[in-house]
Amino acid sequence: MALAFIVPGLDEAVSEKAIAILQNRLSQEQEAALVLKHAHWNVTGPNFIAVHEMLDPQVEVVLAQADETAERIATLGGTPDGRADAITRNRTWKAFDVEGRAGTEEYLKALIEYYDAFIADDRKAIAELDDLDVISSNIIQDHVQELEKFQWFMRSHLA
Ligand SMILES: [Fe+2]
């Protein structure tokens, strides 16, 4: 789709490459909110309330990240795709596969593994965006900092 606008100092090809990277991050940020809510609803067993209540602030943060990423895409002249179909179409990472009620340890281990890919993919996006658009890179740098902190929270329950 043709860009609505090209920001001063960027050209169309560079903008399109940056937008494609940001769209992939947007889809994972949106999916992460769904995965975290799924865990919030289904986690059970020891430390239930601690884990249940730890997850909601993470949902709020990843949704705010998705909003920021989507608005960066629009700022660059692109069209963010926030539909559910776009999440599955853009998924380049392993899907979260814990189903139904399961213990805190099982959910935390699965979430830590999910965050491993989320963080690594954000860091890969940062490296690529550094050569394209440092403003977009800076946005994802802020996001990954929050994800790394949340992964530390989760690891700390298992120590
Ligand atoms: Fe809730």
Side-chain angles (χ1 to χ4, degrees), residues 37 40-41 52 56:
K37 271 295 190 190
H40 170 83
W41 294 321
H52 175 76
D56 265 344

Side-chain angles (χ1 to χ4, degrees), residues 34-135:
L34 300 172
V35 164
L36 289 161
K37 271 295 190 190
H38 170 76
H40 170 83
W41 294 321
N42 285 299
V43 70
T44 187
N47 298 318
F48 161 77
I49 201 68
V51 175
H52 175 76
E53 289 186 352
M54 176 184 68
L55 295 174
D56 265 344
Q58 298 192 22
V59 172
E60 295 301 314
V61 167
V62 295
L63 283 175
Q65 291 183 354
D67 188 50
E68 200 169 39
T69 303
E71 290 179 1
R72 184 63 189 164
I73 291 171
T75 301
L76 290 173
T79 50
D81 192 338
R83 295 173 294 176
D85 286 354
I87 295 173
T88 39
R89 194 172 55 247
N90 292 326
R91 189 193 289 120
T92 49
W93 53 92
K94 183 175 167 286
F96 188 83
D97 59 5
V98 179
E99 274 184 36
R101 247 194 319 277
T104 48
E105 188 173 335
E106 187 177 341
Y107 264 107
L108 287 168
K109 283 182 174 168
L111 286 170
I112 288 166
E113 191 184 326
Y114 185 82
Y115 269 59
D116 278 343
F118 196 3
I119 290 164
D121 288 357
D122 267 7
R123 284 183 166 276
K124 186 164 163 273
I126 289 164
E128 291 170 358
L129 287 167
D130 275 343
D131 292 331
L132 299 166
D133 173 35
V134 290
I135 311 301

